[in-house]
Amino acid sequence: MTTPSPPSHPRSLSPPPNSESGVQDLTRFEPAEEAALLAESNVQKAEANTFFASAQYSQAIGSYDKALATCPNYFEYEIAVLKSNIAACHLKLEDWKAAVESATSALDALERLASSKKKKKEEEEEAKKDKKAETEEADDGVVEIKGEDEDAEAAQLKELEMTDKRKEDIARIRCKSLLRRAKAKAALGGWANLQNAEEDYKALSAMQNLPPSDMKVVQAALSELPMRVNAAKEKEVGEMMGKLKELGNGILKPFGLSTDSFKMVKDEKTGGYSMNLNQGS
């Protein structure tokens, strides 16, 4: 099968429209086509990993984008991995804004994955309840235990092991993506970005799967960020007050007044300001 060429603005592939209705099928590709697309995506991902390992970060981004272009759009985990890797490239290139966007996209994909798994679990629980109700209504309440149940049990245990591994993988990618976004936001600076970085680092500090080396980075960031947040806040508030003063002088000038005729008093409890008229001015 020939794999479609990547679009100019790479994104994950959606299943084709239904041939009869023309409506896009939001479930899945045919198994053979799905496997071919995922295989091509993995080839591009491997190439990107090689570029990254040799510090060719721009080329790595290009190959990760190609991997995204051939990855079916319902493989949220695979998309999250690619987006997180792209965020790592942007960090190396010190393109902080792009790193934030890519890391956020990775985290969004993981959230969609969690939501779909939750919905699937709820549907399975509902199906079990219905099956149990049907069994209770049946005349014969005896369940025959077949010899092949051992094989079924082994298969179920294997599936559970795979599920546990996938949970670990998801937690690992969430951790990496959150750390990359926090680093990028801290580097961007500014009151809002620093506050958001602090929130991400706090979330990371509560994660049980965080490696010790990363925990040291998180703890160091949490010790220095409060001071940076306050400094950025004071700076931005000061700049805002300066602009308000300039605007106020323009309004008050026709009345023979200026903002110097007023005194700004800061409330240390709330951080807000009040304005009082200077008597005799």
Side-chain angles (χ1 to χ4, degrees):
M1 190 196 77
T2 302
T3 304
S5 300
S8 57
H9 297 287
R11 62 185 180 214
S12 52
L13 283 177
S14 299
N18 182 287
S19 58
E20 296 180 357
S21 64
V23 177
Q24 181 174 289
D25 180 3
L26 296 179
T27 53
R28 289 179 174 271
F29 287 98
E30 292 296 322
E33 187 175 10
E34 176 185 276
L37 289 168
L38 190 57
E40 175 60 22
S41 180
N42 287 334
V43 168
Q44 295 294 342
K45 177 187 173 185
E47 181 182 71
N49 290 344
T50 300
F51 280 133
F52 186 91
S54 59
Q56 299 180 72
Y57 305 118
S58 295
Q59 292 90 332
I61 290 172
S63 291
Y64 283 131
D65 279 339
K66 290 178 183 178
L68 278 171
T70 53
C71 181
N73 69 343
Y74 47 81
F75 282 131
E76 300 288 7
Y77 173 76
E78 287 74 11
I79 291 170
V81 171
L82 292 169
K83 288 289 188 179
S84 186
N85 288 353
I86 291 172
C89 293
H90 286 308
L91 278 177
K92 292 292 186 180
L93 294 170
E94 298 186 359
D95 188 346
W96 313 125
K97 184 176 179 181
V100 169
E101 291 173 354
S102 295
T104 300
S105 294
L107 291 166
D108 289 344
L110 293 179
E111 285 300 317
R112 291 193 297 270
L113 179 62
S115 296
S116 65
K117 284 184 175 295
K118 181 180 178 182
K119 182 179 179 181
K120 183 178 179 181
K121 185 176 181 181
E122 290 174 350
E123 290 174 350
E124 289 175 350
E125 290 296 327
E126 191 64 31
K128 286 180 181 178
K129 290 179 181 178
D130 292 341
K131 187 175 181 180
K132 183 178 180 181
E134 291 175 3
T135 303
E136 290 175 349
E137 291 175 1
D139 293 332
D140 185 2
V142 178
V143 179
E144 181 181 357
I145 299 178
K146 299 180 180 179
E148 61 266 21
D149 278 1
E150 290 184 4
D151 293 335
E153 184 178 354
Q156 188 176 10
L157 287 172
K158 184 176 180 180
E159 183 179 350
L160 287 172
E161 288 175 1
M162 292 177 65
T163 301
D164 288 341
K165 185 178 186 306
R166 177 47 64 95
K167 286 180 180 178
E168 291 176 1
D169 290 340
I170 290 171
R172 177 173 53 83
I173 297 303
R174 178 176 284 110
C175 180
K176 285 187 175 183
S177 301
L178 204 57
L179 186 60
R180 287 163 183 168
R181 187 173 71 176
K183 288 180 178 179
K185 287 194 172 185
L188 272 173
W191 185 10
N193 283 321
L194 291 172
Q195 275 189 318
N196 291 335
E198 188 175 20
E199 290 174 4
D200 283 349
Y201 279 122
K202 285 179 179 178
L204 283 161
S205 68
M207 291 185 173
Q208 300 298 320
N209 63 319
L210 193 68
S213 58
D214 288 338
M215 180 60 78
K216 289 181 180 179
V217 173
V218 170
Q219 290 173 342
L222 287 174
S223 67
E224 71 169 17
L225 271 174
M227 187 180 297
R228 291 185 63 193
V229 170
N230 288 333
K233 177 183 176 181
E234 290 296 327
K235 180 183 177 182
E236 291 184 23
V237 169
E239 290 173 351
M240 180 186 68
M241 296 305 297
K243 291 178 181 179
L244 288 174
K245 183 176 180 180
E246 184 179 346
L247 176 63
N249 284 335
I251 295 172
L252 294 170
K253 187 176 181 179
F255 302 98
L257 297 172
S258 72
T259 53
D260 293 333
S261 304
F262 299 87
K263 183 179 180 181
M264 301 295 295
V265 180
K266 181 179 179 180
D267 187 330
E268 295 299 337
K269 293 182 179 179
T270 64
Y273 289 82
S274 61
M275 183 180 290
N276 299 324
L277 178 63
N278 289 328
Q279 298 298 324
S281 61

